[in-house]
Amino acid sequence: MPSTQDGLTWNRHLTGLRCIHCGHLHQVGPLTAGCPRCRTREFVANLWLEYDLASLRHGLQRTTFTDRRAGLAAYNPLLPVEDASGELSLAEGNTPLLPAPYLRRAFSQVWLKDETRNPTFSYKDRLCYTAVSAGALLGRRVACVASSGNHGAATAAYARRAGMECVVIGTGTPLPVMAAQMRAYGAKLVRAEDTERWRVLRRCVEEYGWWPTGNYTWPLASGNPFGPEGYKTIAYEVWRDLGERVPDVVLVPVARGEGLAGVWKGFLELAELGLADRLPRMVGVEPEAGGPLARAWRAGRELTGMEMLTPGRTVAVSIGGGVSSTQALLTVRDSGGHALTVSDEEILAARARLAEEGLLVEAAAATAVAGLSRLEREVPALAAGVAAVVLTGSGLKDAIPLAVDFEPESVPVVTADDFARTFRDRFGVDPSELGVG
Ligand SMILES: *Cc1c(COP(=O)(O)O)cnc(C)c1O
Ligand SMILES: [Zn+2]
């Protein structure tokens, strides 16, 4: 296991964290709750990492985009943390871009970015590579995340890789496969009621100094600003694998919208670096049981007007939330894209269609595929040209119950007030002592 901080440095072209709402440039540091200047009780503005791309451009080698060996470490010149040895990587990324003529309809081409082949079987590995690297560089010893699935599994794997502890805070009974996976990577699992878990997480971040790889603000999502930096490499790879061309439309299944925004940021950077001469339209797809982004988009909301919903149940468990983010709405708006919802029926039909073609994906991933025909019906003008769809997670994670030696019911339920005591009883260590010594 590599020792943390060794060999890790901030990218020397990194200039700061830019608020996407007020435009203020904050110094590089542990800003994981959105822009401190803009934050109110109802509003959180995301921060985007900014680089001096003009000077970066001169030293950039074409091989940065074609080195397929090293996982995301290959893109280090364009990522926040330089992981010179590549030791924090699990060889994530460099996933195949598959042609899908059977989905074409009004489009001239449809390509599937198959993220199911990442180390923990979802695209969260990209986010966790960059988010955990930043935590390791900052000397944090414990990573934490509010998740019931992929985000928890990826955080657990990358935290262990970096020699950090990992605590995952879920809601309800976790999916057996996802929970077993997190446990296998050595994560400690607790669960809490939905609103309570944000209080628990806030305490972990503010009192224990744990490093959140995802959101911990409520009601709106801040996310860890270093995470979308991992997602932006999806744009680099799509561009590269299309022969240095940018697709007309990119469809991404959306929960908090870090993926949607991260991919968009990747295309923006390719254009700023002078490598791409156009930008795609970004389409976010949500299950209709929730759909906070689509609702805000349809209502023509300002960035400050995003609302939280109480979502119903959906088969797309990984994206079933009622909260999206300012950066998701900004992405749809700035790219001239769209946000739409699809029904569970459409999601399952899309999943079945892909399986017939040899691809078994999570319902969450199939949501974006279902978005292709929905887009054609809702906004025919956008359903043309070359489309790329991000298949975010593997069907083995939510479809097939595996026999595992693990009782999901045994994950302890916590509140912010009894968290420390329950944690101590269950894991034999006080949370304030976790990762110390
Ligand atoms: C997390 C996740 C998403 C949504 O990502 P956001 O950045 O939260 O929008 C989509 N699909 C899968 C499989 C996921 O795990
Ligand atoms: Zn701001």
Side-chain angles (χ1 to χ4, degrees), residues 19-24 26 35-39 45 47:
C19 173
I20 63 168
H21 183 61
C22 74
H24 185 78
H26 298 271
C35 176
R37 291 190 162 205
C38 289
R39 193 163 55 230
L47 299 170

Side-chain angles (χ1 to χ4, degrees), residues 11 21 72 87 116 127 141 159 195 223 246 268 274 341 358 373 379:
N11 185 322
H21 183 61
L72 291 205
E87 282 190 327
T116 70
L127 173 143
R141 292 161 175 271
T195 53
V246 172
L268 285 173
T341 60
S373 33
V379 198

